[in-house]
Amino acid sequence: IKGLGQRKKKEAFFRKIFILQLVGLVLTYDFTNCDFEKIKQKYQKTIYDDLKEYMNGSKSTQFNSTISCNNQPDCLTKIQRITFSPTHGCTSLAKEEFALRTNATFALQCPGYSRIQINNAQAVEKRKKREVTTNKCLEQVSQLLGLWGRFCRSFRKQ
Amino acid sequence: MSHAQTTGFLQYQSVLTDAAIAVGWGSVDIDNQSNGIWTRNRLPLGEETGVHLSQSLVGVHREALQVQIIWFNFETVRVTWNVSEHSGTNLTFLYTFGQREESRPNAARYFQRGGLSVSTQEVTLCRVPFSVKPASPGDLAFLWRPEEVTVTCPDLPYDGLLYEVQHRSTFDTSWQSKQEDTCNVTIEGLDAQKCYCFRARVKTTEASYGPDTYPSDWSQVTCWHGGQPRDSCPDKPVNAKFPKFILICSLVTLLTLCLLLLSLWKLGRVRKLLIPSVPDPKSSFSGLFEQHRGNFQEWIKDTQNVAQLHKMGSGGERDCGPEDVLVVQLAKTPTTVDALTPRTGEGESSGGSPQLARRAPQGGDMVSVGGFTFVMNDSSYVTL
C-alpha cells in the first residue's frame, strides 16, 4: 500500500509537470525580457532580406498595412502570431526561411522561449502539402514587414 | 459634446474647386470649445497619427488625386493633392489623429481624440508610417587629424537612420561618399595640402522605414584647407598650368618642325646614307656606255693606253676571275719598263695565287705578276 501510494504520488507529480508544459504551450510567451537590441540587429541583417526575398518583387505597399503594434513586446507578440500561427488561406509561413530565423532569434534572445512552438507548427505542416505562395501569404508577409519596421522605429536614441 | 476645430494644418480648408495643387502643412492645433470656452492644444504628430482625406463625392480615388504625404523630420506632415482633373468637384480635406486601431476600414469614426466628427465616407489615404524625410543635419563639427577627419553632428532621436558624408577635393570630378549608423563619420586618406569640401545628409533604412522614403536635403557645403575652414576651395588651377602647358607644347612643336626641316634639307644625303644607291659608272668612266657600249676593256684601251693582259688559264695557273685582270700603266720615261716578260713555272705558288718575285732592277723595281715581269719606276703602278 505504501508502494502504491508512492507510485501515485509520482504519477501525480509527472502529470503536473505535463500539464504545466501544456499550459506553457498554450499561453502566449511574454517578450518583455528579451534583448530587443540584438533582435533588431538580427532583423536588419538577415530576417529583413529573407522577407524581401519571399515577397519576390511584390511591393509591400500594394497591401494595406492594417496591423500595428504599440511597443516592443507587443510588436514581437504580433510578429510571432502572424509568423507561426496558420491562418485561412496561408498556413505554411512557419516553414519559410525567415520564420526559422525568427524562431532562432527569439530562442537566443528571449529567456525561456521554447523551440517546442515551432516544432509543433512543423509537425502540423508535415501532414499537409506545401502551399504555393498565395496572395494571402504575401499579404501576411507584408504585415510582418510593417510590424518589424514598427518594432525598429520604436527604438529611441537617448 | 465638445466641438473641436483644427487649425494650422491646412492652407486651404474650404471646399476646393480650383484646378490647383493644394498643400497642407504643419502640426495640429486643436481648439476645443466646451461650455463656450475655447482651449487650444497642440497634438504632436507621431507614429500613430493618421491623415485622411474625406471626399464628398464618392468614387474619386486617391490615385486620381495624386495624394502625396511626407512626414518631415518626424514632426510635420505635408499633404498634397491635385484637383486639376476634377474641377468642379467639391472636395473637403479633413484630418484626424489619435491612436490607430486594428483594421476597421468601414468604421465611422475610430479616432476618438479631439472629438472631431468624421464622415462615414472617409477613406484612409495614408499608410503608417508616412513617407519620411528627415531634416538636414546641422551643426557639423570637424575634427582634423593627420590624413583623416571625423565629421560629427547631433543624432536624430530615431533609430534606423544612416548619416552620409560626402567629400571632394579640387582634383576630384565627383563626390566620394561614406555613411555610418550615427553622425560620427571618419574619412581617411586625406592630403593635408589639398582643399576639401564636405556635405552631409540623413537617410532612412528600408528595413525600418520601408521603400517609400526620401533622404534629407544636403547640408551646407563647408570647405577646409590644412585644417582651416575656407569659404570655398579654389577651382582647379587650370590657368596656372595652362600657360606652362602651352609653352611646353610650343617648344616641342617648334623643335619638331626644325628637325623636320633639317631632315628635308638633308633628305638627299640622309637617303643616300640610309639607302646607298648603286654606283653608276657612267659618271666615273666618261664615254664607257656612249662610245664603247659598256665594254670596259675597249674603253681602257682607248682612253687609258693600257695593254690588255690576257689571263693564262693553263699550266697550273688558276683562273682567278675577271676581278683579277691586271692593269699596268706604262710610264713614258727614259727608263722604260720591260713590261712583258712572261714567266712560267717560277715562283708560282701551288695555290695558284699570284706571287711577287723580284729580279735585279734595271733602272727600277721589277714586278712579276701572272708570268709577266715589269720594271717599275716611281711613276708606274700596278692595279690588280
Side-chain angles (χ1 to χ4, degrees):
Chain A
I1 294 174
K2 244 186 182 180
L4 186 64
Q6 280 181 347
R7 197 173 65 186
K8 282 200 180 295
K9 273 186 183 176
K10 276 185 183 177
E11 283 177 358
F13 174 73
F14 286 115
R15 193 182 303 123
K16 279 181 186 175
I17 297 294
F18 177 69
I19 291 170
L20 280 173
Q21 285 183 335
L22 275 178
V23 168
L25 288 175
V26 170
L27 290 179
T28 307
Y29 179 80
D30 183 6
F31 289 92
T32 305
N33 297 320
C34 296
D35 190 337
F36 300 118
E37 179 64 35
K38 289 187 178 171
I39 292 174
K40 181 193 74 171
Q41 290 173 6
K42 187 67 177 177
Y43 163 72
Q44 289 175 334
K45 285 181 183 173
T46 57
I47 299 174
Y48 173 74
D49 292 329
D50 294 336
L51 289 167
K52 291 294 287 184
E53 192 179 334
Y54 185 90
M55 293 297 287
N56 193 23
S58 302
K59 289 193 73 174
S60 57
T61 52
Q62 73 184 74
F63 302 101
N64 284 331
S65 178
T66 56
I67 302 176
S68 185
C69 51
N70 300 319
N71 51 53
Q72 291 159 354
D74 182 40
C75 289
L76 294 182
T77 301
K78 290 179 178 171
I79 288 169
Q80 186 206 29
R81 176 168 58 83
I82 295 177
T83 303
F84 301 114
S85 299
T87 58
H88 179 67
C90 183
T91 59
S92 63
L93 285 185
K95 291 172 67 177
E96 297 298 330
E97 189 68 29
F98 67 82
L100 299 177
R101 287 194 206 270
T102 301
N103 182 70
T105 302
F106 287 170
L108 198 61
Q109 306 302 339
C110 298
Y113 186 86
S114 173
R115 289 180 182 268
I116 296 176
Q117 295 177 357
I118 187 64
N119 289 339
N120 281 343
Q122 285 177 337
V124 170
E125 298 311 317
K126 280 177 187 172
R127 292 194 287 270
K128 298 185 179 180
K129 289 183 184 177
R130 193 185 188 280
E131 286 181 33
V132 175
T133 302
T134 62
N135 211 43
K136 182 64 178 174
C137 287
L138 290 175
E139 186 180 349
Q140 294 283 87
V141 174
S142 174
Q143 302 292 347
L144 281 174
L145 282 166
L147 287 169
W148 274 114
R150 182 68 185 95
F151 172 74
C152 291
R153 293 191 302 274
S154 65
F155 287 81
R156 290 292 183 100
K157 291 185 178 178
Q158 300 302 321
Chain B
M1 177 178 168
S2 62
H3 175 69
Q5 178 179 340
T6 57
T7 61
F9 197 95
L10 287 176
Q11 290 180 354
Y12 305 102
Q13 197 169 358
S14 59
V15 174
L16 302 167
T17 57
D18 296 332
I21 299 288
V23 179
W25 280 98
S27 57
V28 178
D29 288 332
I30 305 167
D31 292 334
N32 259 325
Q33 186 189 35
S34 179
N35 299 326
I37 299 172
W38 286 95
T39 56
R40 170 168 286 187
N41 296 290
R42 170 159 287 184
L43 179 71
L45 292 176
E47 178 71 35
E48 302 304 332
T49 301
V51 178
H52 305 265
L53 183 66
S54 175
Q55 51 208 27
S56 59
L57 182 65
V58 178
V60 177
H61 299 290
R62 62 177 171 178
E63 291 82 8
L65 290 173
Q66 300 170 25
V67 176
Q68 184 191 52
I69 305 173
I70 300 177
W71 189 9
F72 287 91
N73 204 37
F74 314 97
E75 295 171 351
T76 307
V77 174
R78 186 185 78 176
V79 183
T80 311
W81 63 94
N82 186 359
V83 300
S84 59
E85 293 185 4
H86 305 280
S87 57
T89 303
N90 290 336
L91 288 176
T92 302
F93 182 85
L94 295 175
Y95 45 90
T96 57
F97 44 84
Q99 284 291 328
R100 186 181 179 88
E101 299 174 0
E102 296 243 2
S103 172
R104 289 199 294 164
N106 297 320
R109 41 176 103 173
Y110 54 94
F111 284 84
Q112 303 297 322
R113 243 153 102 192
L116 186 70
S117 66
V118 296
S119 164
T120 55
Q121 294 177 344
E122 194 170 88
V123 176
T124 301
L125 293 175
C126 70
R127 291 176 57 253
V128 175
F130 309 126
S131 298
V132 175
K133 181 172 181 176
S136 177
D139 297 331
L140 291 178
F142 295 82
L143 178 61
W144 284 90
R145 284 183 288 272
E147 297 186 1
E148 68 178 34
V149 65
T150 300
V151 182
T152 58
C153 66
D155 283 349
L156 289 174
Y158 302 98
D159 211 270
L161 300 176
L162 293 173
Y163 296 83
E164 181 184 7
V165 175
Q166 288 188 340
H167 72 282
R168 179 173 69 178
S169 72
T170 51
F171 301 93
D172 294 327
T173 55
S174 60
W175 291 93
Q176 298 179 56
S177 183
K178 188 174 181 183
Q179 59 189 30
E180 301 286 354
D181 295 337
T182 60
C183 193
N184 189 326
V185 182
T186 299
I187 300 171
E188 298 163 342
L190 301 180
D191 185 352
Q193 303 303 319
K194 289 183 183 176
C195 182
Y196 292 93
C197 291
F198 299 86
R199 63 181 186 179
R201 69 176 178 181
V202 185
K203 300 191 298 187
T204 60
T205 58
E206 189 174 328
S208 297
Y209 292 92
D212 297 330
T213 61
Y214 304 89
S216 74
D217 295 332
W218 286 106
S219 67
Q220 197 174 3
V221 175
T222 55
C223 299
W224 295 77
H225 190 187
Q228 299 299 321
R230 295 281 183 267
D231 291 336
S232 65
C233 284
D235 290 335
K236 207 171 179 179
V238 175
N239 292 333
K241 286 191 174 179
F242 188 66
K244 199 187 279 184
F245 177 73
I246 289 292
L247 184 65
I248 292 172
C249 282
S250 303
L251 285 174
V252 169
T253 307
L254 194 63
L255 194 62
T256 307
L257 280 172
C258 290
L259 286 173
L260 194 63
L261 285 171
L262 197 63
S263 300
L264 285 173
W265 179 58
K266 293 196 172 187
L267 191 61
R269 295 176 64 178
V270 170
R271 197 191 305 166
K272 275 187 186 176
L273 185 66
L274 293 177
I275 311 173
S277 56
V278 177
D280 188 356
K282 193 185 293 184
S283 58
S284 301
F285 304 97
S286 173
L288 173 63
F289 296 98
E290 295 83 358
Q291 295 166 14
H292 303 282
R293 286 173 293 181
N295 190 332
F296 193 72
Q297 293 175 351
E298 285 186 13
W299 179 81
I300 286 181
K301 200 191 316 181
D302 188 28
T303 59
Q304 304 294 331
N305 296 320
V306 172
Q308 188 69 38
L309 296 174
H310 296 285
K311 295 179 196 173
M312 296 179 68
S314 63
E317 241 186 9
R318 208 172 75 173
D319 186 5
C320 299
E323 56 271 21
D324 293 338
V325 171
L326 181 63
V327 175
V328 178
Q329 175 73 30
L330 297 177
K332 295 176 182 173
T333 59
T335 306
T336 57
V337 175
D338 185 7
L340 297 174
T341 306
R343 289 186 60 187
T344 55
E346 285 189 33
E348 291 177 356
S349 66
S350 57
S353 58
Q355 262 189 345
L356 298 176
R358 290 195 170 192
R359 282 191 172 184
Q362 295 176 357
D365 291 333
M366 296 290 289
V367 175
S368 175
V369 176
F372 296 93
T373 304
F374 304 92
V375 178
M376 307 292 292
N377 60 14
D378 289 343
S379 62
S380 302
Y381 64 90
V382 174
T383 303
L384 297 175

